[in-house]
PDB file of all heavy atoms in Angstrom:
ATOM      1  N   VAL A   1      -5.615   8.354   4.128  1.00  0.00           N
ATOM      2  CA  VAL A   1      -6.882   9.044   4.354  1.00  0.00           C
ATOM      3  C   VAL A   1      -8.004   8.185   3.796  1.00  0.00           C
ATOM      4  O   VAL A   1      -8.039   7.868   2.599  1.00  0.00           O
ATOM      5  CB  VAL A   1      -6.904  10.427   3.683  1.00  0.00           C
ATOM      6  CG1 VAL A   1      -8.250  11.108   3.905  1.00  0.00           C
ATOM      7  CG2 VAL A   1      -5.774  11.289   4.238  1.00  0.00           C
ATOM      8  N   ALA A   2      -8.909   7.766   4.639  1.00  0.00           N
ATOM      9  CA  ALA A   2     -10.008   6.904   4.233  1.00  0.00           C
ATOM     10  C   ALA A   2     -11.155   7.738   3.685  1.00  0.00           C
ATOM     11  O   ALA A   2     -11.220   8.951   3.904  1.00  0.00           O
ATOM     12  CB  ALA A   2     -10.489   6.079   5.429  1.00  0.00           C
ATOM     13  N   PRO A   3     -12.093   7.111   2.932  1.00  0.00           N
ATOM     14  CA  PRO A   3     -13.292   7.833   2.505  1.00  0.00           C
ATOM     15  C   PRO A   3     -13.975   8.487   3.702  1.00  0.00           C
ATOM     16  O   PRO A   3     -14.126   7.869   4.754  1.00  0.00           O
ATOM     17  CB  PRO A   3     -14.159   6.729   1.890  1.00  0.00           C
ATOM     18  CG  PRO A   3     -13.173   5.705   1.419  1.00  0.00           C
ATOM     19  CD  PRO A   3     -12.075   5.723   2.447  1.00  0.00           C
ATOM     20  N   GLY A   4     -14.383   9.735   3.558  1.00  0.00           N
ATOM     21  CA  GLY A   4     -14.931  10.476   4.670  1.00  0.00           C
ATOM     22  C   GLY A   4     -13.907  11.410   5.296  1.00  0.00           C
ATOM     23  O   GLY A   4     -14.188  12.106   6.262  1.00  0.00           O
ATOM     24  N   ALA A   5     -12.678  11.407   4.728  1.00  0.00           N
ATOM     25  CA  ALA A   5     -11.613  12.338   5.123  1.00  0.00           C
ATOM     26  C   ALA A   5     -11.121  12.137   6.541  1.00  0.00           C
ATOM     27  O   ALA A   5     -10.660  13.063   7.192  1.00  0.00           O
ATOM     28  CB  ALA A   5     -12.067  13.782   4.936  1.00  0.00           C
ATOM     29  N   HIS A   6     -11.189  10.875   7.063  1.00  0.00           N
ATOM     30  CA  HIS A   6     -10.568  10.618   8.357  1.00  0.00           C
ATOM     31  C   HIS A   6      -9.381   9.681   8.163  1.00  0.00           C
ATOM     32  O   HIS A   6      -9.274   8.971   7.165  1.00  0.00           O
ATOM     33  CB  HIS A   6     -11.565  10.006   9.341  1.00  0.00           C
ATOM     34  CG  HIS A   6     -12.140   8.695   8.900  1.00  0.00           C
ATOM     35  ND1 HIS A   6     -13.256   8.615   8.078  1.00  0.00           N
ATOM     36  CD2 HIS A   6     -11.751   7.416   9.149  1.00  0.00           C
ATOM     37  CE1 HIS A   6     -13.530   7.344   7.847  1.00  0.00           C
ATOM     38  NE2 HIS A   6     -12.637   6.606   8.477  1.00  0.00           N
ATOM     39  N   ARG A   7      -8.466   9.707   9.115  1.00  0.00           N
ATOM     40  CA  ARG A   7      -7.240   8.928   9.008  1.00  0.00           C
ATOM     41  C   ARG A   7      -7.518   7.447   9.233  1.00  0.00           C
ATOM     42  O   ARG A   7      -8.286   7.069  10.104  1.00  0.00           O
ATOM     43  CB  ARG A   7      -6.211   9.404  10.033  1.00  0.00           C
ATOM     44  CG  ARG A   7      -5.703  10.801   9.768  1.00  0.00           C
ATOM     45  CD  ARG A   7      -4.769  10.824   8.586  1.00  0.00           C
ATOM     46  NE  ARG A   7      -4.372  12.188   8.239  1.00  0.00           N
ATOM     47  CZ  ARG A   7      -3.572  12.498   7.225  1.00  0.00           C
ATOM     48  NH1 ARG A   7      -3.103  11.550   6.451  1.00  0.00           N
ATOM     49  NH2 ARG A   7      -3.269  13.759   6.972  1.00  0.00           N
ATOM     50  N   ARG A   8      -6.857   6.620   8.393  1.00  0.00           N
ATOM     51  CA  ARG A   8      -6.946   5.189   8.581  1.00  0.00           C
ATOM     52  C   ARG A   8      -5.991   4.759   9.682  1.00  0.00           C
ATOM     53  O   ARG A   8      -5.021   5.456  10.009  1.00  0.00           O
ATOM     54  CB  ARG A   8      -6.605   4.470   7.275  1.00  0.00           C
ATOM     55  CG  ARG A   8      -7.638   4.682   6.203  1.00  0.00           C
ATOM     56  CD  ARG A   8      -7.132   4.377   4.821  1.00  0.00           C
ATOM     57  NE  ARG A   8      -6.551   3.050   4.713  1.00  0.00           N
ATOM     58  CZ  ARG A   8      -6.177   2.501   3.556  1.00  0.00           C
ATOM     59  NH1 ARG A   8      -6.318   3.190   2.445  1.00  0.00           N
ATOM     60  NH2 ARG A   8      -5.667   1.307   3.515  1.00  0.00           N
ATOM     61  N   THR A   9      -6.252   3.603  10.240  1.00  0.00           N
ATOM     62  CA  THR A   9      -5.405   3.102  11.321  1.00  0.00           C
ATOM     63  C   THR A   9      -4.208   2.312  10.788  1.00  0.00           C
ATOM     64  O   THR A   9      -3.322   1.954  11.555  1.00  0.00           O
ATOM     65  CB  THR A   9      -6.227   2.196  12.261  1.00  0.00           C
ATOM     66  OG1 THR A   9      -6.791   1.113  11.504  1.00  0.00           O
ATOM     67  CG2 THR A   9      -7.351   2.989  12.920  1.00  0.00           C
ATOM     68  N   ASP A  10      -4.166   2.055   9.485  1.00  0.00           N
ATOM     69  CA  ASP A  10      -3.059   1.304   8.910  1.00  0.00           C
ATOM     70  C   ASP A  10      -1.752   2.071   9.059  1.00  0.00           C
ATOM     71  O   ASP A  10      -1.713   3.291   8.907  1.00  0.00           O
ATOM     72  CB  ASP A  10      -3.301   1.031   7.420  1.00  0.00           C
ATOM     73  CG  ASP A  10      -4.671   0.423   7.148  1.00  0.00           C
ATOM     74  OD1 ASP A  10      -5.655   1.180   7.215  1.00  0.00           O
ATOM     75  OD2 ASP A  10      -4.733  -0.786   6.888  1.00  0.00           O
ATOM     76  N   ASP A  11      -0.689   1.350   9.336  1.00  0.00           N
ATOM     77  CA  ASP A  11       0.641   1.944   9.387  1.00  0.00           C
ATOM     78  C   ASP A  11       1.017   2.401   7.977  1.00  0.00           C
ATOM     79  O   ASP A  11       0.987   1.610   7.034  1.00  0.00           O
ATOM     80  CB  ASP A  11       1.632   0.887   9.881  1.00  0.00           C
ATOM     81  CG  ASP A  11       3.034   1.452  10.080  1.00  0.00           C
ATOM     82  OD1 ASP A  11       3.359   2.470   9.443  1.00  0.00           O
ATOM     83  OD2 ASP A  11       3.798   0.854  10.854  1.00  0.00           O
ATOM     84  N   PRO A  12       1.391   3.686   7.803  1.00  0.00           N
ATOM     85  CA  PRO A  12       1.756   4.162   6.464  1.00  0.00           C
ATOM     86  C   PRO A  12       2.856   3.335   5.807  1.00  0.00           C
ATOM     87  O   PRO A  12       2.843   3.130   4.597  1.00  0.00           O
ATOM     88  CB  PRO A  12       2.206   5.603   6.707  1.00  0.00           C
ATOM     89  CG  PRO A  12       1.449   6.019   7.918  1.00  0.00           C
ATOM     90  CD  PRO A  12       1.383   4.786   8.779  1.00  0.00           C
ATOM     91  N   GLU A  13       3.811   2.850   6.594  1.00  0.00           N
ATOM     92  CA  GLU A  13       4.882   2.045   6.009  1.00  0.00           C
ATOM     93  C   GLU A  13       4.345   0.700   5.503  1.00  0.00           C
ATOM     94  O   GLU A  13       4.830   0.172   4.497  1.00  0.00           O
ATOM     95  CB  GLU A  13       5.999   1.816   7.023  1.00  0.00           C
ATOM     96  CG  GLU A  13       7.197   1.051   6.461  1.00  0.00           C
ATOM     97  CD  GLU A  13       7.716   1.627   5.154  1.00  0.00           C
ATOM     98  OE1 GLU A  13       7.779   2.866   5.006  1.00  0.00           O
ATOM     99  OE2 GLU A  13       8.073   0.828   4.251  1.00  0.00           O
ATOM    100  N   VAL A  14       3.331   0.183   6.191  1.00  0.00           N
ATOM    101  CA  VAL A  14       2.702  -1.060   5.714  1.00  0.00           C
ATOM    102  C   VAL A  14       2.008  -0.813   4.380  1.00  0.00           C
ATOM    103  O   VAL A  14       2.091  -1.622   3.451  1.00  0.00           O
ATOM    104  CB  VAL A  14       1.696  -1.593   6.759  1.00  0.00           C
ATOM    105  CG1 VAL A  14       0.885  -2.755   6.191  1.00  0.00           C
ATOM    106  CG2 VAL A  14       2.436  -2.036   8.019  1.00  0.00           C
ATOM    107  N   LEU A  15       1.326   0.322   4.272  1.00  0.00           N
ATOM    108  CA  LEU A  15       0.667   0.669   3.016  1.00  0.00           C
ATOM    109  C   LEU A  15       1.693   0.852   1.902  1.00  0.00           C
ATOM    110  O   LEU A  15       1.484   0.407   0.770  1.00  0.00           O
ATOM    111  CB  LEU A  15      -0.145   1.948   3.178  1.00  0.00           C
ATOM    112  CG  LEU A  15      -1.348   1.886   4.124  1.00  0.00           C
ATOM    113  CD1 LEU A  15      -1.948   3.279   4.282  1.00  0.00           C
ATOM    114  CD2 LEU A  15      -2.385   0.908   3.613  1.00  0.00           C
ATOM    115  N   ALA A  16       2.806   1.512   2.218  1.00  0.00           N
ATOM    116  CA  ALA A  16       3.846   1.726   1.222  1.00  0.00           C
ATOM    117  C   ALA A  16       4.463   0.402   0.778  1.00  0.00           C
ATOM    118  O   ALA A  16       4.709   0.184  -0.416  1.00  0.00           O
ATOM    119  CB  ALA A  16       4.921   2.656   1.777  1.00  0.00           C
ATOM    120  N   GLU A  17       4.715  -0.486   1.724  1.00  0.00           N
ATOM    121  CA  GLU A  17       5.280  -1.784   1.381  1.00  0.00           C
ATOM    122  C   GLU A  17       4.310  -2.588   0.520  1.00  0.00           C
ATOM    123  O   GLU A  17       4.714  -3.268  -0.428  1.00  0.00           O
ATOM    124  CB  GLU A  17       5.621  -2.562   2.657  1.00  0.00           C
ATOM    125  CG  GLU A  17       6.185  -3.960   2.415  1.00  0.00           C
ATOM    126  CD  GLU A  17       7.469  -3.938   1.585  1.00  0.00           C
ATOM    127  OE1 GLU A  17       8.206  -2.935   1.631  1.00  0.00           O
ATOM    128  OE2 GLU A  17       7.732  -4.948   0.894  1.00  0.00           O
ATOM    129  N   HIS A  18       3.022  -2.502   0.848  1.00  0.00           N
ATOM    130  CA  HIS A  18       2.022  -3.182   0.027  1.00  0.00           C
ATOM    131  C   HIS A  18       2.053  -2.637  -1.405  1.00  0.00           C
ATOM    132  O   HIS A  18       1.957  -3.403  -2.374  1.00  0.00           O
ATOM    133  CB  HIS A  18       0.625  -2.982   0.624  1.00  0.00           C
ATOM    134  CG  HIS A  18      -0.467  -3.553  -0.221  1.00  0.00           C
ATOM    135  ND1 HIS A  18      -0.694  -4.911  -0.335  1.00  0.00           N
ATOM    136  CD2 HIS A  18      -1.401  -2.959  -1.013  1.00  0.00           C
ATOM    137  CE1 HIS A  18      -1.714  -5.123  -1.146  1.00  0.00           C
ATOM    138  NE2 HIS A  18      -2.167  -3.954  -1.570  1.00  0.00           N
ATOM    139  N   GLY A  19       2.203  -1.330  -1.539  1.00  0.00           N
ATOM    140  CA  GLY A  19       2.290  -0.744  -2.864  1.00  0.00           C
ATOM    141  C   GLY A  19       3.479  -1.257  -3.648  1.00  0.00           C
ATOM    142  O   GLY A  19       3.373  -1.536  -4.846  1.00  0.00           O
ATOM    143  N   ARG A  20       4.617  -1.382  -2.976  1.00  0.00           N
ATOM    144  CA  ARG A  20       5.802  -1.914  -3.651  1.00  0.00           C
ATOM    145  C   ARG A  20       5.581  -3.364  -4.071  1.00  0.00           C
ATOM    146  O   ARG A  20       5.994  -3.777  -5.166  1.00  0.00           O
ATOM    147  CB  ARG A  20       7.024  -1.793  -2.744  1.00  0.00           C
ATOM    148  CG  ARG A  20       7.481  -0.345  -2.538  1.00  0.00           C
ATOM    149  CD  ARG A  20       8.812  -0.278  -1.817  1.00  0.00           C
ATOM    150  NE  ARG A  20       8.695  -0.634  -0.410  1.00  0.00           N
ATOM    151  CZ  ARG A  20       8.461   0.240   0.562  1.00  0.00           C
ATOM    152  NH1 ARG A  20       8.308   1.525   0.280  1.00  0.00           N
ATOM    153  NH2 ARG A  20       8.398  -0.159   1.819  1.00  0.00           N
ATOM    154  N   GLU A  21       4.918  -4.133  -3.210  1.00  0.00           N
ATOM    155  CA  GLU A  21       4.636  -5.540  -3.537  1.00  0.00           C
ATOM    156  C   GLU A  21       3.703  -5.645  -4.737  1.00  0.00           C
ATOM    157  O   GLU A  21       3.899  -6.487  -5.620  1.00  0.00           O
ATOM    158  CB  GLU A  21       4.020  -6.243  -2.324  1.00  0.00           C
ATOM    159  CG  GLU A  21       4.982  -6.422  -1.168  1.00  0.00           C
ATOM    160  CD  GLU A  21       4.287  -6.948   0.078  1.00  0.00           C
ATOM    161  OE1 GLU A  21       3.040  -7.076   0.046  1.00  0.00           O
ATOM    162  OE2 GLU A  21       4.972  -7.235   1.066  1.00  0.00           O
ATOM    163  N   VAL A  22       2.681  -4.793  -4.774  1.00  0.00           N
ATOM    164  CA  VAL A  22       1.729  -4.820  -5.885  1.00  0.00           C
ATOM    165  C   VAL A  22       2.422  -4.508  -7.203  1.00  0.00           C
ATOM    166  O   VAL A  22       2.235  -5.196  -8.217  1.00  0.00           O
ATOM    167  CB  VAL A  22       0.575  -3.821  -5.637  1.00  0.00           C
ATOM    168  CG1 VAL A  22      -0.238  -3.599  -6.912  1.00  0.00           C
ATOM    169  CG2 VAL A  22      -0.332  -4.330  -4.529  1.00  0.00           C
ATOM    170  N   THR A  23       3.247  -3.465  -7.213  1.00  0.00           N
ATOM    171  CA  THR A  23       3.877  -3.067  -8.474  1.00  0.00           C
ATOM    172  C   THR A  23       4.967  -4.052  -8.899  1.00  0.00           C
ATOM    173  O   THR A  23       5.155  -4.285 -10.096  1.00  0.00           O
ATOM    174  CB  THR A  23       4.441  -1.644  -8.380  1.00  0.00           C
ATOM    175  OG1 THR A  23       5.301  -1.540  -7.231  1.00  0.00           O
ATOM    176  CG2 THR A  23       3.318  -0.627  -8.264  1.00  0.00           C
ATOM    177  N   GLU A  24       5.671  -4.648  -7.949  1.00  0.00           N
ATOM    178  CA  GLU A  24       6.674  -5.643  -8.323  1.00  0.00           C
ATOM    179  C   GLU A  24       6.014  -6.908  -8.849  1.00  0.00           C
ATOM    180  O   GLU A  24       6.512  -7.541  -9.789  1.00  0.00           O
ATOM    181  CB  GLU A  24       7.590  -5.949  -7.142  1.00  0.00           C
ATOM    182  CG  GLU A  24       8.621  -4.874  -6.871  1.00  0.00           C
ATOM    183  CD  GLU A  24       9.426  -4.547  -8.125  1.00  0.00           C
ATOM    184  OE1 GLU A  24       9.970  -5.486  -8.767  1.00  0.00           O
ATOM    185  OE2 GLU A  24       9.513  -3.363  -8.481  1.00  0.00           O
ATOM    186  N   ALA A  25       4.883  -7.295  -8.249  1.00  0.00           N
ATOM    187  CA  ALA A  25       4.139  -8.440  -8.770  1.00  0.00           C
ATOM    188  C   ALA A  25       3.645  -8.152 -10.183  1.00  0.00           C
ATOM    189  O   ALA A  25       3.643  -9.029 -11.061  1.00  0.00           O
ATOM    190  CB  ALA A  25       2.964  -8.775  -7.855  1.00  0.00           C
ATOM    191  N   ALA A  26       3.243  -6.906 -10.426  1.00  0.00           N
ATOM    192  CA  ALA A  26       2.806  -6.507 -11.770  1.00  0.00           C
ATOM    193  C   ALA A  26       3.966  -6.596 -12.751  1.00  0.00           C
ATOM    194  O   ALA A  26       3.806  -7.068 -13.884  1.00  0.00           O
ATOM    195  CB  ALA A  26       2.243  -5.085 -11.732  1.00  0.00           C
ATOM    196  N   ARG A  27       5.139  -6.149 -12.335  1.00  0.00           N
ATOM    197  CA  ARG A  27       6.316  -6.216 -13.210  1.00  0.00           C
ATOM    198  C   ARG A  27       6.607  -7.668 -13.605  1.00  0.00           C
ATOM    199  O   ARG A  27       6.884  -7.970 -14.770  1.00  0.00           O
ATOM    200  CB  ARG A  27       7.535  -5.610 -12.517  1.00  0.00           C
ATOM    201  CG  ARG A  27       8.757  -5.521 -13.432  1.00  0.00           C
ATOM    202  CD  ARG A  27      10.040  -5.385 -12.625  1.00  0.00           C
ATOM    203  NE  ARG A  27      10.078  -4.163 -11.844  1.00  0.00           N
ATOM    204  CZ  ARG A  27      10.505  -2.998 -12.299  1.00  0.00           C
ATOM    205  NH1 ARG A  27      10.910  -2.892 -13.555  1.00  0.00           N
ATOM    206  NH2 ARG A  27      10.545  -1.953 -11.511  1.00  0.00           N
ATOM    207  N   ARG A  28       6.535  -8.569 -12.617  1.00  0.00           N
ATOM    208  CA  ARG A  28       6.816  -9.977 -12.912  1.00  0.00           C
ATOM    209  C   ARG A  28       5.775 -10.547 -13.877  1.00  0.00           C
ATOM    210  O   ARG A  28       6.112 -11.318 -14.793  1.00  0.00           O
ATOM    211  CB  ARG A  28       6.834 -10.794 -11.616  1.00  0.00           C
ATOM    212  CG  ARG A  28       8.017 -10.453 -10.698  1.00  0.00           C
ATOM    213  CD  ARG A  28       8.151 -11.477  -9.598  1.00  0.00           C
ATOM    214  NE  ARG A  28       6.992 -11.498  -8.717  1.00  0.00           N
ATOM    215  CZ  ARG A  28       6.874 -10.746  -7.627  1.00  0.00           C
ATOM    216  NH1 ARG A  28       7.833  -9.878  -7.301  1.00  0.00           N
ATOM    217  NH2 ARG A  28       5.796 -10.824  -6.855  1.00  0.00           N
ATOM    218  N   ARG A  29       4.511 -10.177 -13.688  1.00  0.00           N
ATOM    219  CA  ARG A  29       3.455 -10.691 -14.566  1.00  0.00           C
ATOM    220  C   ARG A  29       3.667 -10.212 -16.005  1.00  0.00           C
ATOM    221  O   ARG A  29       3.523 -10.993 -16.949  1.00  0.00           O
ATOM    222  CB  ARG A  29       2.083 -10.242 -14.047  1.00  0.00           C
ATOM    223  CG  ARG A  29       0.910 -10.769 -14.886  1.00  0.00           C
ATOM    224  CD  ARG A  29      -0.425 -10.350 -14.298  1.00  0.00           C
ATOM    225  NE  ARG A  29      -1.524 -10.819 -15.119  1.00  0.00           N
ATOM    226  CZ  ARG A  29      -2.118 -11.991 -15.009  1.00  0.00           C
ATOM    227  NH1 ARG A  29      -1.701 -12.858 -14.074  1.00  0.00           N
ATOM    228  NH2 ARG A  29      -3.120 -12.354 -15.795  1.00  0.00           N
TER     229      ARG A  29
END
């Protein structure tokens, strides 16, 4: 959900995978 309460065009699975990448990169750091 983007600012303004409308749906983003990003694939939810892409967003989820990005989240996993961010947190795993944080773990390594």
Side-chain angles (χ1 to χ4, degrees):
V1 179
H6 60 274
R7 293 287 174 181
R8 292 161 53 172
T9 58
D10 309 75
D11 185 336
E13 183 50 40
V14 171
L15 294 174
E17 178 59 28
H18 175 73
R20 290 189 288 269
E21 291 172 355
V22 167
T23 53
E24 284 307 308
R27 186 200 297 274
R28 292 192 297 271
R29 182 177 178 88

